[in-house]
Amino acid sequence: MPLEDLSLNLHTVRKQWTLRQAVEACARHGYQGVAPWRDMVQEISPAEAARIFQANGTRVTGYCRGGLFAAQGFDKLTEAIDDNKRMIDEAAALGAECIVMIGGGLAPGSRDLGAARKTFADGIAAIMPHARAAGIALALEPMHPMYAADRGCITTLGEMLDICDALGPGLGVAVDVYHVWWDPDLAAQIARAGRRIISHHICDWLVPTRHMLTDRGMMGDGVIDIAAIRRMVEAAGYGGIQEVEIFSDHWWSRPGDEVLATAMQRFKTAC
Amino acid sequence: MPLEDLSLNLHTVRKQWTLRQAVEACARHGYQGVAPWRDMVQEISPAEAARIFQANGTRVTGYCRGGLFAAQGFDKLTEAIDDNKRMIDEAAALGAECIVMIGGGLAPGSRDLGAARKTFADGIAAIMPHARAAGIALALEPMHPMYAADRGCITTLGEMLDICDALGPGLGVAVDVYHVWWDPDLAAQIARAGRRIISHHICDWLVPTRHMLTDRGMMGDGVIDIAAIRRMVEAAGYGGIQEVEIFSDHWWSRPGDEVLATAMQRFKTAC
């Protein structure tokens, strides 16, 4: 696989670099794309971020992250929909290839996971016309069940594909190995996804995992059979870029150039 | 629901009390049963533990925990089978109503979750004749996906019921709300389980969860809709005892009597 098939989720080096520094470093290290987070973009404006991407010839493989429709409360759905529409406009200004959409947690004070899941689907339905008009694909990302309460109420690829089935074109899924590797139904659901896979994220699951949020591993350092998942995704018809996304106290403590060089090397040997 | 329908998994107070102290305290607080761990029993011998249970009129609602067939290596399956058979003999000596069986982690050095899962099913098949002869039911417990790598390669009730379907009578499942609450297929799988539910564990999922192993919550302090799961389990035909199982640095730091009184009170108000 050619080097240009790697993208970097900028959260991976957010403790080391500004958006501009990270994009320039990615270009030096042979990354063809990046995936910025919204706060990084808003800090300098979408227009300025777009100039940085263009100046470096950098693809914007995803914009992180929308969705979270129930997280502020069921009575705040309208505000969440409006905010997601603004994010679509920002993504268009950036030239982003998709927006990554996550379930978000339970509504405050609620124990109703089913209601949070339904609200997510309702929110996606509400913003689809805006996304289609803007030409921005939405990549629905299931999250690991350990985040079900506070980050991603939708935990399986199967659930996200049910939403894609219901709501039609313009929707796809993001397959992040960290979130889905444990799923006994993974092979079947990746095959079912087919060409609806529009984003593919890689990192590793460490044993032991010392922190639920900030202890993801570099590819090859953990137990995920990344190559096997890549084969499933390729067999389903995905031939696009892969995106390194590592939230890690360890890797945030290392020089950014070391992180980028290591990830590129592991991409070639451990994925 | 009458008080006598509560059991205590003794790991909940293992930092405070010996097995004898814990059993006597449970009797004082109106718990009808306990579920001891193997190391606690071996420390004093199964015969001595059985005398303690009998002297206190205490049911032994489960013996923790068997399974883990791949965890020492695929080449150690015979040893794991023999060890599980010994555990069946101990359970019979204790008068335990079931043994809780967990998937166990990946084999050392392996990334093959499918092979670990298959090895678990093979191990269960190998010990079933011994379990049936001893009259000991095996309660197959799916574990939360965050433990897939190192503790419980089998993560869903559906997978465990597939094994029950394949291997026939003498097998059932343990439904621990902590492990299954996130599952989008939970209601359907509990209904499918029906009278094969032979163990039901309660605690809560805290937000935030500060440690993956030792930060379970007291019922009512977290986000699991425990009452909803109880209704599902009851509708499936389970009318048995519920078992409190809380691994928690916080609750291990409190006096054992406070833990038992709090759990009994929450059982009546939050479950």
Side-chain angles (χ1 to χ4, degrees), chain A residues 92-142:
Chain A
L94 293 174
E97 297 170 19
C98 69
I99 301 178
V100 174
M101 308 292 286
I102 62 171
L106 295 162
S110 168
R111 292 187 172 91
D112 194 339
L113 200 51
R117 288 166 170 163
K118 181 177 181 308
T119 301
F120 177 80
D122 291 346
I124 294 291
I127 65 171
M128 277 311 298
H130 197 80
R132 288 195 188 103
I136 298 293
L138 304 183
L140 310 187
E141 181 172 49

Side-chain angles (χ1 to χ4, degrees), chain B residues 50-103:
Chain B
R51 280 191 288 275
I52 294 170
F53 300 136
Q54 285 157 15
N56 287 277
T58 303
R59 288 172 55 184
V60 182
T61 59
Y63 189 34
C64 299
R65 51 192 191 174
L68 303 106
F69 291 103
Q72 300 303 314
F74 297 121
D75 58 338
K76 298 280 170 47
L77 177 57
T78 303
E79 289 88 334
I81 289 169
D82 289 343
D83 191 53
N84 272 275
K85 287 181 182 172
R86 283 191 294 273
M87 195 174 176
I88 290 167
D89 298 337
E90 294 162 19
L94 293 173
E97 297 171 19
C98 69
I99 301 178
V100 175
M101 308 292 286
I102 62 172

Side-chain angles (χ1 to χ4, degrees), chain B:
Chain B
M1 174 165 288
L3 299 188
E4 60 266 27
D5 280 337
L6 199 57
S7 173
L8 184 77
N9 186 295
L10 295 185
H11 206 70
T12 307
V13 290
R14 80 178 303 151
K15 303 284 172 77
Q16 292 96 326
W17 282 329
T18 64
L19 183 143
R20 178 189 299 274
Q21 291 170 321
V23 170
E24 291 172 353
C26 282
R28 283 200 308 276
H29 284 268
Y31 289 69
Q32 192 175 339
V34 301
W37 284 55
R38 197 176 186 191
D39 61 322
M40 300 174 182
V41 167
Q42 291 180 329
E43 200 172 50
I44 55 174
S45 87
E48 175 64 12
R51 280 191 288 275
I52 294 170
F53 300 136
Q54 285 157 15
N56 287 277
T58 303
R59 288 172 55 184
V60 182
T61 59
Y63 189 34
C64 299
R65 51 192 191 174
L68 303 106
F69 291 103
Q72 300 303 314
F74 297 121
D75 58 338
K76 298 280 170 47
L77 177 57
T78 303
E79 289 88 334
I81 289 169
D82 289 343
D83 191 53
N84 272 275
K85 287 181 182 172
R86 283 191 294 273
M87 195 174 176
I88 290 167
D89 298 337
E90 294 162 19
L94 293 173
E97 297 171 19
C98 69
I99 301 178
V100 175
M101 308 292 286
I102 62 172
L106 295 162
S110 168
R111 292 187 172 91
D112 194 339
L113 200 50
R117 288 166 171 163
K118 181 178 182 307
T119 301
F120 176 79
D122 290 346
I124 295 291
I127 65 171
M128 277 310 299
H130 197 79
R132 287 195 189 104
I136 298 293
L138 304 183
L140 310 187
E141 181 172 49
M143 293 188 76
H144 193 285
M146 71 182 170
Y147 304 124
D150 49 357
R151 279 174 181 76
C153 61
I154 303 199
T155 55
T156 66
L157 203 49
E159 292 172 275
M160 285 303 195
L161 288 169
D162 289 345
I163 296 172
C164 292
D165 286 348
L167 299 180
L171 285 179
V173 292
V175 177
D176 183 319
V177 298
Y178 196 75
H179 292 310
V180 303
W181 75 279
W182 60 272
D183 186 349
D185 206 26
L186 182 61
Q189 294 299 333
I190 286 178
R192 173 188 170 198
R195 294 190 175 273
R196 292 179 294 186
I197 299 170
I198 52 180
S199 191
H200 180 39
H201 307 167
I202 52 177
C203 68
D204 214 334
W205 181 281
L206 298 179
V207 178
T209 293
R210 299 182 189 283
H211 192 282
M212 284 171 62
L213 282 175
T214 60
D215 196 27
R216 295 194 188 191
M218 181 64 67
M219 297 80 74
D221 288 344
V223 299
I224 300 177
D225 192 342
I226 302 171
I229 297 176
R230 174 176 161 174
R231 287 192 295 272
M232 293 177 201
V233 168
E234 287 176 339
Y238 182 77
I241 206 161
Q242 296 190 51
E243 179 183 317
V244 176
E245 184 178 31
I246 303 174
F247 308 158
S248 160
D249 292 321
H250 170 72
W251 290 106
W252 284 326
S253 78
R254 306 301 307 164
D257 282 303
E258 178 186 332
V259 178
L260 263 60
T262 305
M264 181 60 80
Q265 188 263 334
R266 296 293 181 85
F267 176 60
K268 291 186 268 186
T269 58
C271 304

